Amino acid sequence: MATRIVYTDLDGTMVGPRGSFWHTADRELTASPAAALLELHRAGVALVLVSGRTHAQLLEAGRIFAVDGAIAELGSLVSWHGGRETHLLTGDLPGQFAGRTPMDVLAELGIVDALVAAHRGRLEWHDPWHATHSADALLRGRVDAAAVDAWLAERGWGWLTLNDNGAVPATARMTLDTEALPPHVYHLMPRGISKGAAITWDLARRGLTAADAVAVGDSVSDLEMAPAVGRLWVTANGAAVDGMAARLDAVPNAVVTDAPMGEGWAQAVLASLG
């Protein structure tokens, strides 16, 4: 396929341990991701970051990697022109809240407080990174996302869903029970928001189609990018997560890289360049 644009997840995909672009999953130094990035730019292929990080966080990362745009908060906010232009996607946010951010609505209704109280010791704010989110509530812990969705629906909040964005290392600042470790990061957000939906919107804005695009990721939420692109690459570390193999079987355009994290990302990029 003639790739014109690459949409990539950041943490655990393009960058490795502690967000390093220069270390393998085994914390060995590597230049392969940087070399692949250079070849991508030389080929004139656009690069767009797609992440659970906030717009401000992606703006800084985007400058370093010379990206052509970013999709923040798991598909909630699309930005381009160096972050000077943005578009907020609110999905199934009820009409009576039109013009407001999902986080404003969640705070007013007390939904996050109720959810955390119902799962005390197993769910908490992903402090301090949650503070600047506008479209989703960033949480951490260990819960059954499908069960949480059912809990939300029972209370009339079925327009919301809890998305699992993968595991993170446990740290001393966490107050979770032992049963909630190792923790996962979750995004509580309106249904209809996804990385894939944001990519589809961005491609239309650019006058491109799915056939022009590839995506690279490592988590369950990244599988949502598959229908929006011609090919989805999943790094080896993501494919090794419990339950991911069965999910990948249902994604016909997904390919698993040989190596994890940045080295796998480099393989995906170079293969996409042909």
Side-chain angles (χ1 to χ4, degrees), residues 114-249:
L115 179 60
V116 171
H119 299 82
R120 196 171 302 281
R122 299 191 65 86
L123 200 62
E124 64 184 14
W125 286 106
H126 192 31
D127 182 57
W129 299 279
H130 73 289
T132 56
H133 281 240
S134 59
D136 69 311
L138 189 64
L139 307 168
R140 66 185 175 222
R142 201 67 178 271
V143 294
D144 183 332
V148 169
D149 281 0
W151 182 92
L152 291 165
E154 290 171 359
R155 287 154 181 79
W157 300 324
W159 50 274
L160 288 167
T161 185
L162 189 71
N163 284 306
D164 186 338
N165 201 28
V168 292
T171 65
R173 65 163 55 93
M174 297 180 182
T175 61
L176 297 165
D177 291 344
T178 303
E179 293 76 13
L181 303 177
H184 281 223
V185 171
Y186 299 98
H187 297 255
L188 179 66
M189 59 203 303
R191 293 182 181 276
I193 296 175
S194 71
K195 290 184 176 183
I199 289 174
T200 297
W201 189 93
D202 189 56
L203 285 172
R205 180 188 68 80
R206 295 169 180 269
L208 300 176
T209 68
D212 298 311
V214 300
V216 194
D218 75 313
S219 69
V220 171
S221 66
D222 292 326
L223 299 183
E224 297 174 344
M225 297 191 288
V229 297
R231 175 169 295 164
L232 170 67
W233 291 87
V234 177
T235 53
N237 54 296
V241 172
D242 288 345
M244 183 64 98
R247 292 177 182 270
L248 284 170
D249 287 341

Side-chain angles (χ1 to χ4, degrees), residues 4-16:
R4 297 179 61 183
I5 187 166
V6 172
Y7 292 92
T8 180
D9 177 56
L10 198 56
D11 299 290
T13 300
M14 187 176 179
V15 299

